[in-house]
């Protein structure tokens, strides 16, 4: 495999596609494209029937008067194909009826409502003149033991990664043929192309870069309502969906229902935790941001990868230390991405060489690029064991991560960096399972977790095994119980 060398532009991505209600000062707001409104059908019946009955309501009925104003606008279901009970009765209210929100308050038929998020780019600066700083080689792949994982699987086969982003340059030499379906803008900023390169750039093709996902095929979706794009990709059968943005600073039951349904369709969602500043995070940049903090979503923050701890250079001094959360460990206030108790994993997020529109390459910075790296590794895990469910893939990634919050530079973030830095080699080993497990005479074990066995489980005479957890056997694997052994 050849990695192109030379001087590459440095892209400082501080990307938050849209920010909506619940944000603090310093955040950027966009105008809502409308509202979601959840109608309680079990309590009130159909909206059509309620609207038809309004003609016979009493003249002084305030609720009836309010409904006469806004009910006619409630014509379109937001998620007509949804299975989730919340989504089935969620309607779209056009933006020009936004003032009707005050009329909904106190209406027993309206369970909840919220504005639809609107995309807002919060910074895509030009090249700051630090081209090729520190070397533009993909050191993050070996740091995460990705090549070791590659050697244990033949290919990612039918595994697919969905990307929710504005635009991907499908003519790029490292992305040609990789995007199987797209609903996106005809052109756009570099963000989406950079995300796609890290997740699924062609690998072992003699040009450009390699992707963590070993060239896993991609689909791309981008709608005004990006949460719906996640659901669309899940319905298309995407195994993993990379979400390199945040769009809320408070919990939304509708958003949780959308992502629950995506998971029920077999998709693992891997999301950026945020970039640690008010314009690319929530509150002070380190509070819970969504969708990363939703239940069932894998939240990914960043860590350094390029230099050994203690290294300094003549340009920036101490920076990008391996397994250290702060970009500048001796000046942690300068640049630190999001950390909170909802983060599940960390992965490199500083200076990742990737694809940009027009056929070029550049370094990308931010948790927008940590997330697709983890998405690519998730594709390797699923390729090693296609029978895994989304939650099981997430569990393997978390349980095999390398713990980093005990490092002196990270002690301030203990409990806020998830289970640690993702380890592709260990994760694929766990997905493949143990080759042969033997319990010899005198062994007395209780398996209460999850074990995977590829060839055989052998209990010798005088051994005892109690299984209170789960044991998965590969096709053709055997269980041998010798006389005098016990399996419970």
């Amino acid at each position: 495999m050849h990695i192109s060398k030379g001087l590459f532009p440095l892209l400082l991505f501080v990307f938050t596609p849209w920010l909506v209600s619940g944000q603090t000062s310093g955040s950027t707001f966009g105008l809502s494209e409308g509202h979601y409104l959840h109608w309680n059908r079990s309590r009130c019946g159909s909206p059509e029937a309620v609207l038809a009955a309004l003609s016979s309501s009493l003249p002084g009925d305030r609720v009836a008067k309010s409904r006469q104003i806004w009910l006619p606008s409630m014509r379109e279901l937001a998620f007509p194909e949804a299975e989730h009970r919340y989504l089935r009765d969620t309607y779209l209210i056009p933006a020009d009826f936004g003032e009707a929100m005050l009329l909904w308050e106190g209406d027993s038929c309206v369970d909840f409502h919220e504005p639809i998020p609107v995309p807002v780019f919060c910074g895509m600066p030009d090249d700051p003149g630090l081209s090729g700083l520190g070397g533009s080689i993909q050191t993050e792949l070996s740091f995460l033991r990705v090549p070791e994982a590659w050697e244990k699987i033949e290919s990612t086969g039918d595994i697919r990664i969905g990307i929710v982003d504005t635009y991907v340059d499908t003519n790029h030499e490292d992305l040609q043929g990789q995007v199987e379906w797209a609903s996106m803008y005809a052109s756009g900023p570099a963000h989406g192309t950079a995300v796609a390169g890290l997740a699924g750039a062609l690998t072992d093709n003699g040009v450009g870069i390699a992707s963590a996902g070993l060239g896993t095929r991609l689909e791309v979706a981008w709608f005004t309502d990006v949460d719906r794009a996640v659901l669309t990709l899940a319905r298309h059968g995407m195994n993993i969906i990379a979400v390199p943005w945040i769009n809320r600073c408070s919990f939304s039951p509708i958003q949780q229902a959308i992502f629950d349904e995506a998971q029920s369709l077999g998709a693992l969602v891997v999301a950026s935790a945020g970039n640690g500043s008010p314009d690319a995070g929530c509150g002070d940049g380190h509070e819970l941001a969504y969708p990363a903090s939703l239940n069932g979503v894998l939240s990914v923050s960043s860590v350094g990868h390029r230099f050994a701890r203690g290294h300094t250079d003549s340009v920036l001094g101490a920076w990008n230390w391996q397994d250290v959360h702060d970009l500048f460990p001796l000046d942690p206030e300068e640049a630190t991405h999001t950390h909170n108790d909802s983060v599940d994993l960390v992965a490199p997020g500083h200076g990742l060489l990737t694809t940009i529109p027009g056929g070029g390459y550049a370094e990308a910075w931010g948790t927008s690029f940590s997330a697709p790296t983890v998405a690519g590794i998730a594709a390797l895990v699923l390729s090693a064991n296609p029978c895994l469910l989304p939650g099981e893939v997430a569990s393997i990634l978390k349980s095999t991560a390398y713990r980093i919050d005990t490092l002196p530079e990270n002690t301030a973030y203990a409990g806020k960096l998830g289970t640690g830095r993702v380890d592709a080699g260990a994760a694929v080993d766990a997905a493949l399972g143990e080759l042969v497990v033997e319990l010899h005479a005198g062994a007395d074990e209780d398996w209460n977790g999850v074990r995977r066995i590829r060839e055989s489980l052998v209990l010798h005479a005088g051994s005892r095994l109690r299984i209170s957890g789960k044991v998965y056997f590969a096709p053709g694997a055997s269980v041998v119980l010798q006389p005098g052994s016990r399996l419970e």
Side-chain angles (χ1 to χ4, degrees):
M1 182 184 303
H2 171 70
I3 304 297
S4 298
K5 299 181 180 179
L7 299 181
F8 296 90
L10 182 71
L11 298 181
L12 297 177
F13 286 115
V14 184
F15 180 65
T16 311
W18 41 80
L19 302 173
V20 293
S21 61
Q23 293 196 290
T24 59
S25 60
S27 295
T28 302
F29 290 84
L31 297 174
S32 174
E33 291 293 324
H35 280 75
Y36 289 136
L37 181 146
H38 184 264
W39 179 264
N40 192 318
R41 188 176 296 269
S42 62
R43 180 184 298 135
C44 300
S46 73
E48 296 80 9
V50 171
L51 184 61
L54 289 177
S55 59
S56 60
S57 60
L58 296 176
D61 190 333
R62 184 191 64 83
V63 172
K65 286 184 176 181
S66 297
R67 289 175 180 171
Q68 287 174 341
I69 297 173
W70 62 265
L71 256 181
S73 69
M74 201 173 77
R75 297 185 298 270
E76 182 182 355
L77 284 169
F79 310 98
E81 299 176 0
E83 296 295 331
H84 196 287
R85 62 187 182 90
Y86 279 121
L87 301 182
R88 283 199 302 267
D89 289 320
T90 298
Y91 288 80
L92 290 175
I93 304 295
D96 54 356
F97 280 86
E99 295 182 0
M101 182 169 59
L102 297 175
L103 304 176
W104 300 331
E105 301 299 334
D107 194 315
S108 61
C109 293
V110 178
D111 283 345
F112 51 79
H113 55 83
E114 63 180 51
I116 299 172
V118 178
V120 175
F121 288 90
C122 294
M124 300 284 281
D126 294 332
D127 177 2
L130 299 176
S131 299
L133 183 65
S136 293
I137 306 300
Q138 290 184 279
T139 53
E140 76 276 5
L141 295 181
S142 58
F143 179 63
L144 299 178
R145 299 208 298 146
V146 170
E148 294 177 40
W150 288 343
E151 292 180 359
K152 295 169 184 175
I153 62 174
E154 294 182 1
S155 73
T156 51
D158 294 330
I159 307 303
R160 297 291 182 269
I161 297 175
I163 294 174
V164 185
D165 215 317
T166 54
Y167 167 73
V168 172
D169 181 1
T170 57
N171 293 318
H172 194 289
E173 63 179 356
D174 251 341
L175 293 171
Q176 288 182 353
Q178 289 300 95
V179 179
E180 296 187 331
W181 178 89
S183 176
M184 60 183 180
Y185 296 150
S187 63
H191 192 272
T193 302
V195 168
L198 292 169
L202 286 165
T203 301
D204 202 19
N205 63 336
V207 298
I209 64 168
S211 61
L214 194 59
T216 301
R217 299 295 180 85
L218 309 170
E219 289 195 6
V220 183
W222 183 265
F223 308 146
T224 300
D225 173 9
V226 286
D227 292 335
R228 289 177 62 213
V230 172
L231 202 51
T232 295
L233 291 172
R235 289 199 184 103
H236 284 196
M238 297 299 99
N239 306 96
I240 301 136
I241 299 175
V243 175
W245 39 265
I246 64 175
N247 67 349
R248 288 176 173 85
C249 290
S250 58
F251 177 79
S252 160
I254 294 178
Q255 189 178 42
Q256 183 66 68
I258 293 170
F259 282 74
D260 284 347
E261 181 142 333
Q263 185 174 15
S264 73
L265 292 168
L268 169 65
V269 179
V270 183
S272 302
N275 283 0
S277 62
D279 61 349
C282 294
D284 63 354
H286 304 294
E287 296 179 9
L288 298 186
Y290 297 86
S293 298
L294 292 173
N295 294 331
V297 173
L298 198 65
S299 175
V300 182
S301 190
S302 69
V303 73
H305 74 279
R306 186 169 290 177
F307 303 114
R309 291 165 56 223
H311 171 88
T312 60
D313 66 37
S314 59
V315 180
L316 291 181
W319 72 294
N320 207 350
W321 286 359
Q322 294 174 351
D323 283 329
V324 174
H325 183 49
D326 295 313
L327 175 58
F328 299 103
L330 304 185
D331 190 6
E333 297 300 320
E334 183 66 25
T336 301
H337 290 154
T338 297
H339 42 264
N340 55 52
D341 57 11
S342 183
V343 169
D344 294 302
L345 288 169
V346 294
H350 308 302
L352 305 183
L353 186 62
T354 186
T355 49
I356 59 173
Y361 299 87
E363 290 183 344
W365 304 67
T367 60
S368 284
F369 310 104
S370 306
T373 299
V374 172
I377 293 171
L380 302 181
V381 170
L382 199 53
S383 300
N385 188 341
C387 297
L388 295 171
L389 298 174
E392 293 173 326
V393 175
S395 179
I396 286 175
L397 291 170
K398 291 188 289 186
S399 65
T400 57
Y402 179 77
R403 186 178 178 187
I404 64 168
D405 59 6
T406 56
L407 296 178
E409 296 85 358
N410 293 334
T411 53
Y413 311 120
K416 298 181 179 181
L417 301 176
T419 58
R421 185 251 301 156
V422 67
D423 183 332
V428 167
D429 280 342
L432 288 170
E434 302 159 277
L435 192 63
V436 176
V437 178
E438 293 188 72
L439 272 64
H440 295 279
D444 189 347
E445 297 186 9
D446 185 354
W447 292 359
N448 56 13
V450 176
R451 302 286 287 267
R452 294 177 175 83
I453 297 175
R454 293 157 60 188
E455 288 193 1
S456 63
L457 168 63
V458 181
L459 272 62
H460 293 274
S463 65
R464 180 182 180 183
L465 173 62
R466 294 175 298 280
I467 299 177
S468 54
K470 294 182 179 180
V471 180
Y472 295 96
F473 294 91
S478 62
V479 177
V480 179
L481 304 178
Q482 294 187 355
S485 64
R486 293 183 61 183
L487 175 61
E488 303 174 359

